[in-house]
Amino acid sequence: EPEVTQTPSHQVTQMGQEVILRCVPISNHLYFYWYRQILGQKVEFLVSFYNNEISEKSEIFDDQFSVERPDGSNFTLKIRSTKLEDSAMYFCASTRTPPNSPLHFGNGTRLTVT
Amino acid sequence: KQEVTQIPAALSVPEGENLVLNCSFTDSAIYNLQWFRQDPGKGLTSLLLIQSSQREQTSGRLNASLDKSSGRSTLYIAASQPGDSATYLCAAPSGSARQLTFGSGTQLTVLP
């Protein structure tokens, strides 16, 4: 069964550094998302992406964050200057046709900012 | 703004029991509701997606119901097994259909 893949599984970075989290959504999906989960807290929506542009973004997704689909398969989340509070599990997700199809998540990237 | 609440926060049952997990949401103008399973340190696995026009959805030993008017959904697990131990999350759309709001989850432990 096709799945969403994310790399790396764990990334450690120093405060102020830029990080890029990578995702390969399911190939015939059209809508892409990033969510995050701070340890012990709820899963939170960050951003949705369709037709090569952002559809929606949350208050969390400020100017330090950006997303890109650089080619036909990858979907990336960039954090320009990481802060300690960016430490979290970041999940990529995709779906074919919301709201009629389920959201499929990757296994996540655990980001640790020191 | 959508808010999703799940009770109980944790549940421990002996193997073989049938159990019910509860989810409530504040904005009933939803297209659907989705249940996920999360294993420790892992991603979310989609279990069931119930459309707003449906009242129930079944997959194997899992059955999810949706009552939009009361803002509630339940996940019923029949004949629980130790392999069912995980955190179960419910998520409802917020605003448009593209953004999900998650509950805090129910951490289920099934004892052999």
Side-chain angles (χ1 to χ4, degrees), chain A residues 64-97:
Chain A
Q64 293 300 310
F65 291 88
S66 62
V67 289
E68 192 178 29
R69 186 151 165 84
D71 53 44
S73 59
N74 290 284
F75 179 51
T76 62
L77 174 69
K78 182 193 291 186
I79 308 175
R80 206 157 284 122
S81 177
T82 50
K83 304 174 191 145
L84 293 176
E85 53 265 37
D86 293 328
S87 294
M89 187 77 119
Y90 287 81
F91 294 109
C92 174
S94 69
T95 189
R96 180 156 175 76
T97 51

Side-chain angles (χ1 to χ4, degrees), chain A residues 33 35 37 42 56 99 103, chain B residues 32 34 38 96 98 100 104:
Chain A
Y33 307 79
Y35 284 78
Q37 186 176 32
K42 292 183 180 184
E56 286 182 291
L103 201 55
Chain B
N32 57 39
Q34 198 164 352
Q38 185 175 29
S96 78
R98 298 185 183 91
L100 291 182
S104 298

Side-chain angles (χ1 to χ4, degrees), chain A residues 31 33 35 37 42-45 48 50 55-58 89 91 98-108 110, chain B residues 3-5 31-32 34 36 38 41-46 49 51 89 94-104:
Chain A
Y31 294 80
Y33 307 79
Y35 284 78
Q37 186 176 32
K42 292 183 180 184
V43 177
E44 303 173 287
F45 169 78
S48 61
Y50 170 71
S55 306
E56 286 182 291
K57 58 183 181 179
S58 70
M89 187 77 119
F91 294 109
N100 298 321
S101 53
L103 201 55
H104 293 269
F105 282 78
N107 280 336
R110 180 168 297 286
Chain B
E3 291 182 14
V4 178
T5 304
Y31 293 99
N32 57 39
Q34 198 164 352
F36 294 89
Q38 185 175 29
K42 300 286 187 182
L44 284 69
T45 301
S46 177
L49 171 70
Q51 301 295 347
L89 300 172
S94 184
S96 78
R98 298 185 183 91
Q99 180 185 141
L100 291 182
T101 297
F102 282 81
S104 298

Side-chain angles (χ1 to χ4, degrees), chain B residues 33-94:
Chain B
L33 185 136
Q34 198 164 352
W35 282 92
F36 294 89
R37 168 185 173 138
Q38 185 175 29
D39 292 283
K42 300 286 187 182
L44 284 69
T45 301
S46 177
L47 296 174
L48 289 164
L49 171 70
I50 317 175
Q51 301 295 347
S52 60
S53 57
Q54 299 174 310
R55 291 187 64 85
E56 284 189 7
Q57 188 72 260
T58 298
S59 175
R61 294 181 293 107
L62 305 180
N63 175 278
S65 67
L66 176 62
D67 184 346
K68 280 183 57 177
S69 61
S70 66
R72 293 183 183 184
S73 177
T74 61
L75 179 67
Y76 175 82
I77 302 177
S80 58
Q81 302 171 357
D84 294 331
S85 298
T87 296
Y88 290 80
L89 300 172
C90 122
S94 184

